[in-house]
Amino acid sequence: MNRRRLPLSLRHRAVPWERQRPTWREARPTVIAGALKRAQARPSGNWYVVGASRALRGDAKPASLTVAGQEVVVWRGPGGHLVGGPGICPHLGAPLRDSPVRCGTLVCHWHGLALDGSPYAGWSPLPVHDDGVLVWVRLDTAGGEEPLDAPVVPRRPEPTRALTAVYTGVGVCEPEDVLANRLDPWHGAWFHPYSFVDLTVVDAPGGPACAADGLTVDVSFKVAGRLVVPVRAVFTAPEPRTVVMRITEGEGAGSVVETHATPLGADELGRPRTAVIEAVVTASDRPGFAAARRAAPLLRPLVRAVAGRLWRDDLAYAERRWQLRSTGRFPG
């Protein structure tokens, strides 16, 4: 893929959706299951993504999530450092997610118990980490692994030259169903024809050119009509609840899309729920990208909307997979 003066290309031999090359023979269940199994065997250090760093500014409302059935809150403590812990007030059980932050102190809105992130009144902090894009919390009782001092954070473009956006969605499934979806790039042009065309998996685990257990894909992102942006991307799973798509050739080389699956716990029907927290970190050395970064507040909602449309379909895929697995009907 030679770098062009403009990132756009014109599809000269576009084919209708139903006439594109079938990919079901290449999307072998054993390959997808093998990639999933290897991902699940990698250490996470018991770290879980809870939200976007950008959402925690000053006295912003605390980030909150129920992770593996445990209520968690995270906020900026005195001096701006990140603090977090259980989301249940130790006094009478108030939901701390609804409590305000004042001068770095979380003040329970039921009776005024104030928490600055230090152990107090039976409340104990949890290890938290801000990687500049996402906020993580470590739950050793939920993870059951050997703890790590910091989460396994994928390599990203330099923050000062990148545009970031974070999308969050929730589905009735387990993290493995989300990962299985992302480790199946063969479905892209069939299931998401509004976004992807001309998709070819160049190499997969076990293939002659496979590097570092990745899935290498050539694909074009649709812009309008026959206008597309062709890229090469590699999918990897650095830990058991994360899949990273990294553009290695073409426009935006080095940009990443990180998909993190955080288990929430069971719903009122006893079904598992999982949060998909996806970080899009884009970069480009084109002169116009500096202007795009300055317009980031306007572009982030658009990026989230694009991710949301894709995940509307992909969460349906993950939910369907869980339904079949949970009733013993999943093929193979």
Side-chain angles (χ1 to χ4, degrees):
M1 295 185 182
N2 297 323
R3 185 168 176 80
R4 300 173 174 86
R5 184 181 299 275
L6 293 175
L8 302 177
S9 292
L10 187 65
R11 298 178 73 210
H12 294 290
R13 287 185 289 275
V15 297
W17 175 84
E18 68 276 7
R19 290 175 54 195
Q20 63 181 318
R21 183 177 58 83
T23 57
W24 66 272
R25 289 185 178 85
E26 299 167 28
R28 290 175 291 163
T30 54
V31 172
I32 298 169
L36 176 62
K37 184 177 180 179
R38 288 188 293 274
Q40 292 175 317
R42 295 181 179 121
S44 72
N46 303 324
W47 289 95
Y48 299 82
V49 174
V50 297
S53 302
R54 184 172 296 277
L56 293 176
R57 298 291 180 89
D59 280 356
K61 183 179 178 181
S64 64
L65 203 64
T66 299
V67 181
Q70 301 183 40
E71 293 181 45
V72 173
V73 289
V74 181
W75 73 95
R76 297 286 175 191
H81 64 282
L82 201 66
V83 296
I88 300 174
C89 180
H91 176 228
L92 286 174
L96 294 177
R97 65 178 180 271
D98 298 328
S99 297
V101 178
R102 296 291 184 267
C103 299
T105 298
L106 183 66
V107 182
C108 177
H109 66 299
W110 276 18
H111 296 94
L113 189 149
L115 301 170
D116 64 4
S118 303
Y120 183 68
W123 186 92
S124 297
L126 293 166
V128 290
H129 180 84
D130 182 356
D131 65 25
V133 177
L134 298 170
V135 172
W136 306 65
V137 65
R138 198 181 80 198
L139 295 174
D140 295 336
T141 55
E145 299 178 20
E146 185 69 25
L148 296 177
D149 292 337
V152 180
V153 179
R155 177 172 51 87
R156 299 170 177 151
E158 176 61 36
T160 57
R161 68 180 190 90
L163 187 153
T164 64
V166 178
Y167 163 82
T168 300
V170 176
V172 177
C173 60
E174 295 179 330
E176 75 162 76
D177 301 300
V178 173
L179 261 69
N181 169 271
R182 299 299 283 156
L183 293 172
D184 169 19
W186 292 275
H187 77 265
W190 283 102
F191 202 40
H192 308 295
Y194 49 83
S195 288
F196 306 119
V197 292
D198 304 329
L199 187 151
T200 301
V201 176
V202 178
D203 202 29
C210 183
D213 198 29
L215 290 151
T216 303
V217 177
D218 284 345
V219 64
S220 290
F221 296 94
K222 288 188 70 174
V223 178
R226 292 192 296 159
L227 285 176
V228 296
V229 178
V231 301
R232 172 164 289 184
V234 176
F235 291 77
T236 56
E239 58 111 71
R241 289 178 291 275
T242 300
V243 173
V244 179
M245 183 199 77
R246 185 181 309 278
I247 296 178
T248 58
E249 297 181 37
E251 183 62 23
S255 300
V256 298
V257 177
E258 301 173 13
T259 303
H260 302 272
T262 299
L264 302 180
D267 65 10
E268 63 278 3
L269 298 178
R271 303 173 304 178
R273 297 170 71 246
T274 296
V276 174
I277 304 174
E278 187 163 271
V280 181
V281 186
T282 59
S284 173
D285 56 5
R286 293 186 183 275
F289 189 72
R293 288 191 67 250
R294 289 193 293 270
L298 299 175
L299 293 176
R300 285 192 187 98
L302 176 61
V303 175
R304 285 194 292 267
V306 171
R309 186 181 185 188
L310 289 167
W311 276 107
R312 179 193 64 197
D313 291 341
D314 280 340
L315 275 173
Y317 175 120
E319 290 179 333
R320 170 71 173 177
R321 185 179 188 274
W322 176 78
Q323 289 173 350
L324 294 177
R325 286 195 308 109
S326 65
T327 54
R329 295 178 294 150
F330 188 70

